[in-house]
Amino acid sequence: MPIGKHVVTVEGLNLPDKLNQAQQAMVDCSGTQCGFCTPGFINSMSGYALSTTSATVEEAISAIDGNICRCTGYKSIERAAAKLTEKLASKDQDHPLEWLVANGFVPEYFKHVAERLSEIKLEYHTNGQIPIGGGTDLYVQKHDELHDMDLHYLFDKSHLNGISFSEGQCTIKSAVTVSDLITNEVLLDAIPNWYNYLKLVSSTPIRNIGTIAGNIANGSPIGDFTIILLAMNARVTLTNKEDVSRSLPLKDFYLGYKVLNKTADEIITAITFDVPNAQTQFNFEKVCKRQYLDIASVNAAITVSTDGNTIKEVHASMGGVGPTPKYLEKTSTFLVNKTIEAQTILRAEALLQTELSPISDARGTEAYKRLLATSIVFCSFYCTFS
């Protein structure tokens, strides 16, 4: 149960004598059928109304991308989101909550939530044995066991949150989320398509709470942000309970499937990497059964620094092709001081195949994943240098 939070169910959004604006939009646009999914959409749309400062249809649809409906059809729900966006166009940004209450978006009691929260005496559990960030994976795996777990909550700790830049380097504290990074202006300016890359990572609710350190520590062979950071030659800082820290390259963090180069009492406290500059190009590719809301069959990233037509430095990574997130050491080394031309890329792809050890599973056969790896290599260089 969140501490110091106000949890709103769909019943908590009801107005005394009429539908709220999100509910009315769904009715007007025939956005509900069986009704099982409707409460989630209403909550997400109402949350969007509360949080947005400049409503757009694209952002409204993004706000409901974590909700799934199997019978209505998404176009009618998207029309409801667009209708809600129109009504939010005149939202008073100086007094947003008062305006939302007056215009039927949320009930009257919302105006008093902040005051009520301030009266709660918080008792944070800070000395647990099992560190947990956003918990988006642990809550799924062990939801029946959580009440008995001795958890050490990290998500709301201010000293573990924040993004900073110094001398061309970015430092991400461990509780930073994908949503924090997808809106970071420095990274958006430095990396073309940064926003589009991160939109491929799960859904908005997961991006809002899933931490970058959690993605790394989970050790999934197809963790999207792990693959991105490997290609940025990132380093991780680990800190133990005695507040002693050590730093190591992320590529040295994975010793085997779900086996990490860390002690039981260490947590990831920071991740650092060089921000791409004018001579550096970054590209991320993800192949999955759906464009969004899916885990990868194979994902890959590459950072290439050049001097004219000569490659000066390369860091490449690939997921879904072995038991751990794979830093492509041989391929990266081979490409250094090579000329960017077709023959170079063909030779790099042949070497790449010797670094892969994919298995056949629900996401594809070994042969299919090797074929994807080939396609991704060619696509990455085409997208990076075309």
Side-chain angles (χ1 to χ4, degrees), residues 255-383:
L255 305 179
Y257 179 70
K258 300 284 186 174
V259 179
L260 308 178
N261 184 357
K262 66 180 288 294
T263 60
D265 71 335
E266 285 181 322
I267 64 169
I268 298 171
T269 50
I271 305 104
T272 58
F273 61 89
D274 291 333
V275 179
N277 56 32
Q279 288 74 45
T280 306
Q281 303 293 324
F282 172 82
N283 189 67
F284 174 65
E285 299 289 336
K286 179 177 180 178
V287 179
C288 42
K289 293 181 179 179
R290 297 188 302 272
Q291 182 176 5
Y292 299 109
L293 304 178
D294 202 1
I295 55 178
S297 295
V298 174
N299 52 9
I302 188 169
T303 300
V304 183
S305 297
T306 57
D307 181 4
N309 201 39
T310 301
I311 299 170
K312 305 306 292 183
E313 185 176 357
V314 178
H315 298 286
S317 61
M318 191 166 288
V321 292
T324 65
K326 182 68 175 177
Y327 178 78
L328 301 169
E329 187 87 47
K330 294 179 182 178
T331 306
S332 299
T333 300
F334 165 78
L335 285 167
V336 174
N337 293 325
K338 298 295 191 303
T339 302
I340 301 171
E341 59 185 7
Q343 191 60 36
T344 298
I345 310 308
L346 288 170
R347 291 173 63 192
E349 188 279 327
L351 181 59
L352 163 75
Q353 291 293 342
T354 69
E355 296 197 76
L356 309 185
S357 55
I359 61 172
S360 298
D361 58 19
R363 289 183 288 276
T365 64
E366 176 189 353
Y368 173 66
K369 292 176 183 179
R370 287 189 178 278
L371 181 61
L372 284 181
T374 298
S375 299
I376 286 173
V377 168
F378 296 151
C379 181
S380 294
F381 274 90
Y382 175 79
C383 292

Side-chain angles (χ1 to χ4, degrees), residues 90-146:
S90 57
K91 181 179 177 181
D92 184 348
Q93 300 300 335
D94 295 323
H95 306 91
L97 189 54
E98 289 79 0
W99 185 90
L100 290 167
V101 170
N103 288 274
F105 285 85
V106 294
E108 175 82 16
Y109 79 86
F110 267 68
K111 293 195 291 187
H112 309 293
V113 168
E115 178 184 351
R116 293 169 66 180
L117 287 176
S118 68
E119 297 172 354
I120 299 175
K121 294 182 179 180
L122 304 180
E123 296 180 359
Y124 286 100
H125 181 50
T126 59
N127 298 313
Q129 297 301 309
I130 304 173
I132 182 171
T136 56
D137 194 54
L138 183 62
Y139 292 151
V140 173
Q141 290 184 12
K142 301 183 178 181
H143 59 281
D144 291 333
E145 305 169 41
L146 284 176

Side-chain angles (χ1 to χ4, degrees), residues 9-31:
T9 65
V10 72
E11 292 83 2
L13 292 170
N14 289 335
L15 303 181
D17 55 359
K18 61 179 180 180
L19 298 176
N20 70 31
Q21 293 285 11
Q23 292 167 333
Q24 190 63 58
M26 289 285 275
V27 171
D28 292 344
C29 298
S30 301

Side-chain angles (χ1 to χ4, degrees), residues 31 33-38 41 67-74 77:
Q33 206 171 109
C34 80
F36 276 97
C37 70
T38 306
F41 281 101
N67 301 90
I68 297 175
C69 176
R70 299 185 68 179
C71 63
T72 299
Y74 285 104
I77 298 173

Side-chain angles (χ1 to χ4, degrees), residues 214-234:
N215 191 253
I216 292 172
N218 183 40
S220 169
I222 50 173
D224 290 321
F225 233 95
T226 304
I227 296 303
I228 289 172
L229 290 169
L230 279 170
M232 290 180 165
N233 198 30

